Structure formats: structure tokens, C-alpha cells
Amino acid sequence: MTDMKKDDMKMNKTDEKRIKRRSLLKAGAVIAPLAITLHGGVAFAQVNSAGRCIEDMKTNVQIPLYEEVPIGSGTYQQTGTSVNFSPDNNQFTGRFVGGQPETHWQYIENEQLSGITCLQSFANAGLN
């Protein structure tokens, strides 16, 4: 039988560790690009539910239209007319907030109607 030297055993252990380390690095090099291309499930779910919520709001939420009475007074009253909610930022209520026309989104926030919408999910998804 051949006698094994202590140095040979140390070399074998060192080689095994190096091989394991290299295998791990190779696996990481292959997996990293794949992980980057995956879509986040939570973010996708938020975007998906926010889209459905917007569609529901378009059909179920009525936004009243306002007029300034008297003109230049800064006092607004409802005209008695309302329109369906529009997520576009070019749809206005007729009121001014901070010198800017109030959008439908601002109306929902200002009137604290966010409880009837998915406004928070929409904002979390980064779509607002």
C-alpha cells in the first residue's frame, strides 16, 4: 500500500474547496442575467389590479362640475352636472386649487374619496 502524506491531504481539501467555490461562481454567472429579466410578482399584481380599478372608476365614479360664483371670488358651486371619472390629467372639475385647474384625481384626493377607489394601489404601482 502507498502511504499518503499529510501535505497531499491538505492539497486535496484545498482543491475541493476551490472547485466548489468555482462551481458556485459559475452558477451565479449563469443565474444572474436570468434573475434580472424576471418580473416581480407583487408589482405585476399591483399594476394589474390598478388597471381594473381604473376601469371600475371610469364607469362608477361621477365627478361633479363646478363654476366660480361670482367670477373671481374663489367660491365654487356645483353646476348640477357631473361626468364619468377620467384618469387623464387633462380632465378638470372647474375648480382651481393653488392657481391650477383641479383634475379628477385631485378631486378624489381633495374630497377624501380615496376609500371608494384603489388610488393607493395606483400610486404604489407608480402609475399616477
Side-chain angles (χ1 to χ4, degrees):
M1 271 201 175
T2 308
D3 290 331
M4 292 186 73
K5 296 181 181 176
K6 288 182 181 178
D7 289 339
D8 289 342
M9 291 193 59
K10 285 182 184 176
M11 278 294 219
N12 287 339
K13 287 182 181 179
T14 303
D15 287 343
E16 285 178 24
K17 287 181 182 178
R18 187 169 25 134
I19 290 170
K20 286 180 183 178
R21 204 170 34 244
R22 287 187 63 167
S23 297
L24 185 61
L25 287 171
K26 284 181 183 179
V30 169
I31 292 174
L34 293 174
I36 290 171
T37 60
L38 295 176
H39 296 286
V42 172
F44 183 73
Q46 283 182 335
V47 169
N48 196 18
S49 68
R52 272 189 252 121
C53 174
I54 298 303
E55 291 304 315
D56 288 344
M57 288 174 62
K58 284 180 181 180
T59 57
N60 298 322
V61 176
Q62 292 290 308
I63 305 293
L65 298 178
Y66 291 88
E67 62 186 3
E68 190 174 18
V69 180
I71 294 175
S73 68
T75 304
Y76 299 92
Q77 71 178 15
Q78 290 184 13
T79 63
T81 308
S82 61
V83 295
N84 286 341
F85 170 80
S86 173
D88 301 328
N89 282 328
N90 60 355
Q91 299 295 316
F92 306 106
T93 63
R95 295 191 295 191
F96 282 80
V97 178
Q100 298 294 319
E102 179 184 53
T103 65
H104 289 188
W105 283 115
Q106 290 169 328
Y107 171 80
I108 290 172
E109 291 173 352
N110 293 339
E111 299 297 323
Q112 298 177 349
L113 299 176
S114 58
I116 64 166
T117 71
C118 315
L119 186 60
Q120 189 61 44
S121 294
F122 192 70
N124 288 345
L127 300 174
N128 188 1

PDB file of all heavy atoms in Angstrom, residues 13-40:
ATOM      1  N   LYS A  13      -7.982  18.837   0.116  1.00  0.00           N
ATOM      2  CA  LYS A  13      -9.043  19.625   0.746  1.00  0.00           C
ATOM      3  C   LYS A  13      -9.101  21.026   0.140  1.00  0.00           C
ATOM      4  O   LYS A  13     -10.169  21.562  -0.112  1.00  0.00           O
ATOM      5  CB  LYS A  13      -8.836  19.703   2.259  1.00  0.00           C
ATOM      6  CG  LYS A  13      -9.154  18.411   2.962  1.00  0.00           C
ATOM      7  CD  LYS A  13      -8.978  18.548   4.455  1.00  0.00           C
ATOM      8  CE  LYS A  13      -9.290  17.223   5.141  1.00  0.00           C
ATOM      9  NZ  LYS A  13      -9.106  17.295   6.581  1.00  0.00           N
ATOM     10  N   THR A  14      -7.933  21.601  -0.106  1.00  0.00           N
ATOM     11  CA  THR A  14      -7.875  22.929  -0.699  1.00  0.00           C
ATOM     12  C   THR A  14      -8.432  22.894  -2.115  1.00  0.00           C
ATOM     13  O   THR A  14      -9.191  23.770  -2.510  1.00  0.00           O
ATOM     14  CB  THR A  14      -6.413  23.437  -0.715  1.00  0.00           C
ATOM     15  OG1 THR A  14      -5.900  23.423   0.598  1.00  0.00           O
ATOM     16  CG2 THR A  14      -6.347  24.846  -1.258  1.00  0.00           C
ATOM     17  N   ASP A  15      -8.073  21.868  -2.870  1.00  0.00           N
ATOM     18  CA  ASP A  15      -8.581  21.732  -4.235  1.00  0.00           C
ATOM     19  C   ASP A  15     -10.103  21.558  -4.241  1.00  0.00           C
ATOM     20  O   ASP A  15     -10.788  22.155  -5.082  1.00  0.00           O
ATOM     21  CB  ASP A  15      -7.927  20.537  -4.944  1.00  0.00           C
ATOM     22  CG  ASP A  15      -6.477  20.812  -5.320  1.00  0.00           C
ATOM     23  OD1 ASP A  15      -6.090  21.996  -5.333  1.00  0.00           O
ATOM     24  OD2 ASP A  15      -5.751  19.842  -5.583  1.00  0.00           O
ATOM     25  N   GLU A  16     -10.613  20.776  -3.313  1.00  0.00           N
ATOM     26  CA  GLU A  16     -12.057  20.569  -3.241  1.00  0.00           C
ATOM     27  C   GLU A  16     -12.779  21.881  -2.953  1.00  0.00           C
ATOM     28  O   GLU A  16     -13.800  22.192  -3.579  1.00  0.00           O
ATOM     29  CB  GLU A  16     -12.392  19.553  -2.154  1.00  0.00           C
ATOM     30  CG  GLU A  16     -12.088  18.122  -2.527  1.00  0.00           C
ATOM     31  CD  GLU A  16     -12.394  17.151  -1.386  1.00  0.00           C
ATOM     32  OE1 GLU A  16     -13.232  17.491  -0.527  1.00  0.00           O
ATOM     33  OE2 GLU A  16     -11.786  16.079  -1.379  1.00  0.00           O
ATOM     34  N   LYS A  17     -12.243  22.674  -2.035  1.00  0.00           N
ATOM     35  CA  LYS A  17     -12.865  23.957  -1.707  1.00  0.00           C
ATOM     36  C   LYS A  17     -12.830  24.900  -2.903  1.00  0.00           C
ATOM     37  O   LYS A  17     -13.803  25.586  -3.197  1.00  0.00           O
ATOM     38  CB  LYS A  17     -12.151  24.614  -0.521  1.00  0.00           C
ATOM     39  CG  LYS A  17     -12.438  23.959   0.799  1.00  0.00           C
ATOM     40  CD  LYS A  17     -11.717  24.681   1.915  1.00  0.00           C
ATOM     41  CE  LYS A  17     -11.963  24.003   3.251  1.00  0.00           C
ATOM     42  NZ  LYS A  17     -11.237  24.662   4.342  1.00  0.00           N
ATOM     43  N   ARG A  18     -11.718  24.919  -3.621  1.00  0.00           N
ATOM     44  CA  ARG A  18     -11.569  25.781  -4.775  1.00  0.00           C
ATOM     45  C   ARG A  18     -12.555  25.369  -5.880  1.00  0.00           C
ATOM     46  O   ARG A  18     -13.192  26.203  -6.512  1.00  0.00           O
ATOM     47  CB  ARG A  18     -10.137  25.733  -5.306  1.00  0.00           C
ATOM     48  CG  ARG A  18      -9.891  26.726  -6.399  1.00  0.00           C
ATOM     49  CD  ARG A  18      -8.437  26.857  -6.747  1.00  0.00           C
ATOM     50  NE  ARG A  18      -7.706  25.649  -6.411  1.00  0.00           N
ATOM     51  CZ  ARG A  18      -6.834  25.037  -7.198  1.00  0.00           C
ATOM     52  NH1 ARG A  18      -6.568  25.527  -8.369  1.00  0.00           N
ATOM     53  NH2 ARG A  18      -6.200  23.954  -6.819  1.00  0.00           N
ATOM     54  N   ILE A  19     -12.698  24.072  -6.078  1.00  0.00           N
ATOM     55  CA  ILE A  19     -13.614  23.572  -7.100  1.00  0.00           C
ATOM     56  C   ILE A  19     -15.056  23.924  -6.744  1.00  0.00           C
ATOM     57  O   ILE A  19     -15.841  24.365  -7.593  1.00  0.00           O
ATOM     58  CB  ILE A  19     -13.437  22.050  -7.298  1.00  0.00           C
ATOM     59  CG1 ILE A  19     -12.096  21.780  -7.970  1.00  0.00           C
ATOM     60  CG2 ILE A  19     -14.580  21.472  -8.113  1.00  0.00           C
ATOM     61  CD1 ILE A  19     -11.696  20.315  -7.994  1.00  0.00           C
ATOM     62  N   LYS A  20     -15.424  23.777  -5.477  1.00  0.00           N
ATOM     63  CA  LYS A  20     -16.777  24.136  -5.037  1.00  0.00           C
ATOM     64  C   LYS A  20     -17.028  25.629  -5.222  1.00  0.00           C
ATOM     65  O   LYS A  20     -18.093  26.050  -5.669  1.00  0.00           O
ATOM     66  CB  LYS A  20     -16.990  23.751  -3.574  1.00  0.00           C
ATOM     67  CG  LYS A  20     -17.161  22.270  -3.370  1.00  0.00           C
ATOM     68  CD  LYS A  20     -17.378  21.955  -1.901  1.00  0.00           C
ATOM     69  CE  LYS A  20     -17.477  20.445  -1.693  1.00  0.00           C
ATOM     70  NZ  LYS A  20     -17.644  20.120  -0.268  1.00  0.00           N
ATOM     71  N   ARG A  21     -16.023  26.431  -4.867  1.00  0.00           N
ATOM     72  CA  ARG A  21     -16.147  27.876  -4.993  1.00  0.00           C
ATOM     73  C   ARG A  21     -16.310  28.283  -6.466  1.00  0.00           C
ATOM     74  O   ARG A  21     -17.144  29.099  -6.814  1.00  0.00           O
ATOM     75  CB  ARG A  21     -14.910  28.540  -4.376  1.00  0.00           C
ATOM     76  CG  ARG A  21     -15.120  29.936  -3.931  1.00  0.00           C
ATOM     77  CD  ARG A  21     -13.981  30.531  -3.105  1.00  0.00           C
ATOM     78  NE  ARG A  21     -12.649  30.095  -3.447  1.00  0.00           N
ATOM     79  CZ  ARG A  21     -11.844  29.402  -2.625  1.00  0.00           C
ATOM     80  NH1 ARG A  21     -12.244  29.092  -1.413  1.00  0.00           N
ATOM     81  NH2 ARG A  21     -10.643  29.040  -3.001  1.00  0.00           N
ATOM     82  N   ARG A  22     -15.531  27.673  -7.338  1.00  0.00           N
ATOM     83  CA  ARG A  22     -15.623  27.971  -8.772  1.00  0.00           C
ATOM     84  C   ARG A  22     -16.979  27.545  -9.335  1.00  0.00           C
ATOM     85  O   ARG A  22     -17.576  28.244 -10.146  1.00  0.00           O
ATOM     86  CB  ARG A  22     -14.499  27.264  -9.536  1.00  0.00           C
ATOM     87  CG  ARG A  22     -13.153  27.920  -9.289  1.00  0.00           C
ATOM     88  CD  ARG A  22     -12.124  27.319 -10.162  1.00  0.00           C
ATOM     89  NE  ARG A  22     -12.503  27.603 -11.554  1.00  0.00           N
ATOM     90  CZ  ARG A  22     -11.713  27.439 -12.576  1.00  0.00           C
ATOM     91  NH1 ARG A  22     -10.502  26.971 -12.398  1.00  0.00           N
ATOM     92  NH2 ARG A  22     -12.114  27.709 -13.790  1.00  0.00           N
ATOM     93  N   SER A  23     -17.472  26.401  -8.886  1.00  0.00           N
ATOM     94  CA  SER A  23     -18.783  25.936  -9.350  1.00  0.00           C
ATOM     95  C   SER A  23     -19.880  26.911  -8.936  1.00  0.00           C
ATOM     96  O   SER A  23     -20.794  27.208  -9.706  1.00  0.00           O
ATOM     97  CB  SER A  23     -19.096  24.551  -8.788  1.00  0.00           C
ATOM     98  OG  SER A  23     -18.166  23.614  -9.252  1.00  0.00           O
ATOM     99  N   LEU A  24     -19.785  27.400  -7.719  1.00  0.00           N
ATOM    100  CA  LEU A  24     -20.757  28.361  -7.218  1.00  0.00           C
ATOM    101  C   LEU A  24     -20.700  29.660  -8.024  1.00  0.00           C
ATOM    102  O   LEU A  24     -21.736  30.223  -8.401  1.00  0.00           O
ATOM    103  CB  LEU A  24     -20.505  28.639  -5.735  1.00  0.00           C
ATOM    104  CG  LEU A  24     -21.496  29.543  -5.024  1.00  0.00           C
ATOM    105  CD1 LEU A  24     -22.883  28.933  -5.067  1.00  0.00           C
ATOM    106  CD2 LEU A  24     -21.070  29.756  -3.590  1.00  0.00           C
ATOM    107  N   LEU A  25     -19.505  30.140  -8.321  1.00  0.00           N
ATOM    108  CA  LEU A  25     -19.358  31.357  -9.118  1.00  0.00           C
ATOM    109  C   LEU A  25     -19.902  31.176 -10.533  1.00  0.00           C
ATOM    110  O   LEU A  25     -20.546  32.065 -11.091  1.00  0.00           O
ATOM    111  CB  LEU A  25     -17.889  31.783  -9.178  1.00  0.00           C
ATOM    112  CG  LEU A  25     -17.328  32.379  -7.890  1.00  0.00           C
ATOM    113  CD1 LEU A  25     -15.824  32.571  -7.990  1.00  0.00           C
ATOM    114  CD2 LEU A  25     -18.009  33.690  -7.569  1.00  0.00           C
ATOM    115  N   LYS A  26     -19.644  30.021 -11.120  1.00  0.00           N
ATOM    116  CA  LYS A  26     -20.157  29.741 -12.460  1.00  0.00           C
ATOM    117  C   LYS A  26     -21.690  29.719 -12.456  1.00  0.00           C
ATOM    118  O   LYS A  26     -22.334  30.264 -13.353  1.00  0.00           O
ATOM    119  CB  LYS A  26     -19.623  28.405 -12.985  1.00  0.00           C
ATOM    120  CG  LYS A  26     -18.185  28.472 -13.437  1.00  0.00           C
ATOM    121  CD  LYS A  26     -17.746  27.116 -13.959  1.00  0.00           C
ATOM    122  CE  LYS A  26     -16.288  27.113 -14.349  1.00  0.00           C
ATOM    123  NZ  LYS A  26     -15.861  25.796 -14.833  1.00  0.00           N
ATOM    124  N   ALA A  27     -22.263  29.088 -11.458  1.00  0.00           N
ATOM    125  CA  ALA A  27     -23.725  29.028 -11.365  1.00  0.00           C
ATOM    126  C   ALA A  27     -24.301  30.440 -11.203  1.00  0.00           C
ATOM    127  O   ALA A  27     -25.312  30.786 -11.816  1.00  0.00           O
ATOM    128  CB  ALA A  27     -24.156  28.146 -10.196  1.00  0.00           C
ATOM    129  N   GLY A  28     -23.659  31.260 -10.389  1.00  0.00           N
ATOM    130  CA  GLY A  28     -24.107  32.644 -10.190  1.00  0.00           C
ATOM    131  C   GLY A  28     -24.021  33.447 -11.464  1.00  0.00           C
ATOM    132  O   GLY A  28     -24.884  34.268 -11.758  1.00  0.00           O
ATOM    133  N   ALA A  29     -22.978  33.205 -12.252  1.00  0.00           N
ATOM    134  CA  ALA A  29     -22.808  33.930 -13.507  1.00  0.00           C
ATOM    135  C   ALA A  29     -23.913  33.567 -14.502  1.00  0.00           C
ATOM    136  O   ALA A  29     -24.317  34.382 -15.323  1.00  0.00           O
ATOM    137  CB  ALA A  29     -21.443  33.631 -14.106  1.00  0.00           C
ATOM    138  N   VAL A  30     -24.420  32.354 -14.420  1.00  0.00           N
ATOM    139  CA  VAL A  30     -25.488  31.926 -15.324  1.00  0.00           C
ATOM    140  C   VAL A  30     -26.839  32.428 -14.825  1.00  0.00           C
ATOM    141  O   VAL A  30     -27.677  32.883 -15.604  1.00  0.00           O
ATOM    142  CB  VAL A  30     -25.502  30.382 -15.442  1.00  0.00           C
ATOM    143  CG1 VAL A  30     -26.748  29.908 -16.160  1.00  0.00           C
ATOM    144  CG2 VAL A  30     -24.249  29.897 -16.149  1.00  0.00           C
ATOM    145  N   ILE A  31     -27.073  32.399 -13.538  1.00  0.00           N
ATOM    146  CA  ILE A  31     -28.378  32.736 -12.967  1.00  0.00           C
ATOM    147  C   ILE A  31     -28.624  34.244 -12.913  1.00  0.00           C
ATOM    148  O   ILE A  31     -29.755  34.688 -13.096  1.00  0.00           O
ATOM    149  CB  ILE A  31     -28.520  32.104 -11.564  1.00  0.00           C
ATOM    150  CG1 ILE A  31     -28.601  30.588 -11.723  1.00  0.00           C
ATOM    151  CG2 ILE A  31     -29.733  32.629 -10.849  1.00  0.00           C
ATOM    152  CD1 ILE A  31     -28.594  29.835 -10.429  1.00  0.00           C
ATOM    153  N   ALA A  32     -27.596  35.052 -12.703  1.00  0.00           N
ATOM    154  CA  ALA A  32     -27.777  36.500 -12.547  1.00  0.00           C
ATOM    155  C   ALA A  32     -28.523  37.138 -13.717  1.00  0.00           C
ATOM    156  O   ALA A  32     -29.482  37.884 -13.496  1.00  0.00           O
ATOM    157  CB  ALA A  32     -26.440  37.183 -12.307  1.00  0.00           C
ATOM    158  N   PRO A  33     -28.144  36.900 -14.966  1.00  0.00           N
ATOM    159  CA  PRO A  33     -28.913  37.521 -16.062  1.00  0.00           C
ATOM    160  C   PRO A  33     -30.368  37.060 -16.109  1.00  0.00           C
ATOM    161  O   PRO A  33     -31.254  37.825 -16.462  1.00  0.00           O
ATOM    162  CB  PRO A  33     -28.178  37.071 -17.322  1.00  0.00           C
ATOM    163  CG  PRO A  33     -26.816  36.697 -16.870  1.00  0.00           C
ATOM    164  CD  PRO A  33     -26.969  36.214 -15.463  1.00  0.00           C
ATOM    165  N   LEU A  34     -30.612  35.822 -15.738  1.00  0.00           N
ATOM    166  CA  LEU A  34     -31.981  35.328 -15.721  1.00  0.00           C
ATOM    167  C   LEU A  34     -32.796  36.030 -14.649  1.00  0.00           C
ATOM    168  O   LEU A  34     -33.951  36.382 -14.861  1.00  0.00           O
ATOM    169  CB  LEU A  34     -32.002  33.820 -15.489  1.00  0.00           C
ATOM    170  CG  LEU A  34     -31.431  32.954 -16.616  1.00  0.00           C
ATOM    171  CD1 LEU A  34     -31.393  31.494 -16.190  1.00  0.00           C
ATOM    172  CD2 LEU A  34     -32.242  33.119 -17.871  1.00  0.00           C
ATOM    173  N   ALA A  35     -32.205  36.230 -13.492  1.00  0.00           N
ATOM    174  CA  ALA A  35     -32.911  36.882 -12.387  1.00  0.00           C
ATOM    175  C   ALA A  35     -33.249  38.322 -12.731  1.00  0.00           C
ATOM    176  O   ALA A  35     -34.300  38.838 -12.344  1.00  0.00           O
ATOM    177  CB  ALA A  35     -32.072  36.819 -11.116  1.00  0.00           C
ATOM    178  N   ILE A  36     -32.396  38.976 -13.487  1.00  0.00           N
ATOM    179  CA  ILE A  36     -32.637  40.372 -13.858  1.00  0.00           C
ATOM    180  C   ILE A  36     -33.845  40.491 -14.782  1.00  0.00           C
ATOM    181  O   ILE A  36     -34.592  41.465 -14.731  1.00  0.00           O
ATOM    182  CB  ILE A  36     -31.377  40.969 -14.516  1.00  0.00           C
ATOM    183  CG1 ILE A  36     -30.279  41.125 -13.456  1.00  0.00           C
ATOM    184  CG2 ILE A  36     -31.663  42.312 -15.162  1.00  0.00           C
ATOM    185  CD1 ILE A  36     -28.936  41.499 -14.021  1.00  0.00           C
ATOM    186  N   THR A  37     -34.073  39.501 -15.627  1.00  0.00           N
ATOM    187  CA  THR A  37     -35.160  39.580 -16.596  1.00  0.00           C
ATOM    188  C   THR A  37     -36.511  39.157 -16.033  1.00  0.00           C
ATOM    189  O   THR A  37     -37.527  39.349 -16.688  1.00  0.00           O
ATOM    190  CB  THR A  37     -34.863  38.705 -17.832  1.00  0.00           C
ATOM    191  OG1 THR A  37     -34.719  37.352 -17.411  1.00  0.00           O
ATOM    192  CG2 THR A  37     -33.612  39.170 -18.532  1.00  0.00           C
ATOM    193  N   LEU A  38     -36.560  38.612 -14.833  1.00  0.00           N
ATOM    194  CA  LEU A  38     -37.826  38.181 -14.239  1.00  0.00           C
ATOM    195  C   LEU A  38     -38.646  39.385 -13.801  1.00  0.00           C
ATOM    196  O   LEU A  38     -38.119  40.384 -13.344  1.00  0.00           O
ATOM    197  CB  LEU A  38     -37.568  37.267 -13.043  1.00  0.00           C
ATOM    198  CG  LEU A  38     -36.893  35.933 -13.363  1.00  0.00           C
ATOM    199  CD1 LEU A  38     -36.620  35.177 -12.081  1.00  0.00           C
ATOM    200  CD2 LEU A  38     -37.765  35.106 -14.280  1.00  0.00           C
ATOM    201  N   HIS A  39     -39.942  39.286 -13.921  1.00  0.00           N
ATOM    202  CA  HIS A  39     -40.841  40.337 -13.474  1.00  0.00           C
ATOM    203  C   HIS A  39     -41.248  40.068 -12.037  1.00  0.00           C
ATOM    204  O   HIS A  39     -41.477  38.938 -11.643  1.00  0.00           O
ATOM    205  CB  HIS A  39     -42.105  40.376 -14.345  1.00  0.00           C
ATOM    206  CG  HIS A  39     -41.811  40.732 -15.760  1.00  0.00           C
ATOM    207  ND1 HIS A  39     -41.497  42.003 -16.146  1.00  0.00           N
ATOM    208  CD2 HIS A  39     -41.752  39.977 -16.882  1.00  0.00           C
ATOM    209  CE1 HIS A  39     -41.280  42.025 -17.443  1.00  0.00           C
ATOM    210  NE2 HIS A  39     -41.426  40.800 -17.917  1.00  0.00           N
ATOM    211  N   GLY A  40     -41.347  41.139 -11.253  1.00  0.00           N
ATOM    212  CA  GLY A  40     -41.773  40.995  -9.873  1.00  0.00           C
ATOM    213  C   GLY A  40     -43.246  40.672  -9.794  1.00  0.00           C
ATOM    214  O   GLY A  40     -44.072  41.354 -10.387  1.00  0.00           O
TER     215      GLY A  40
END
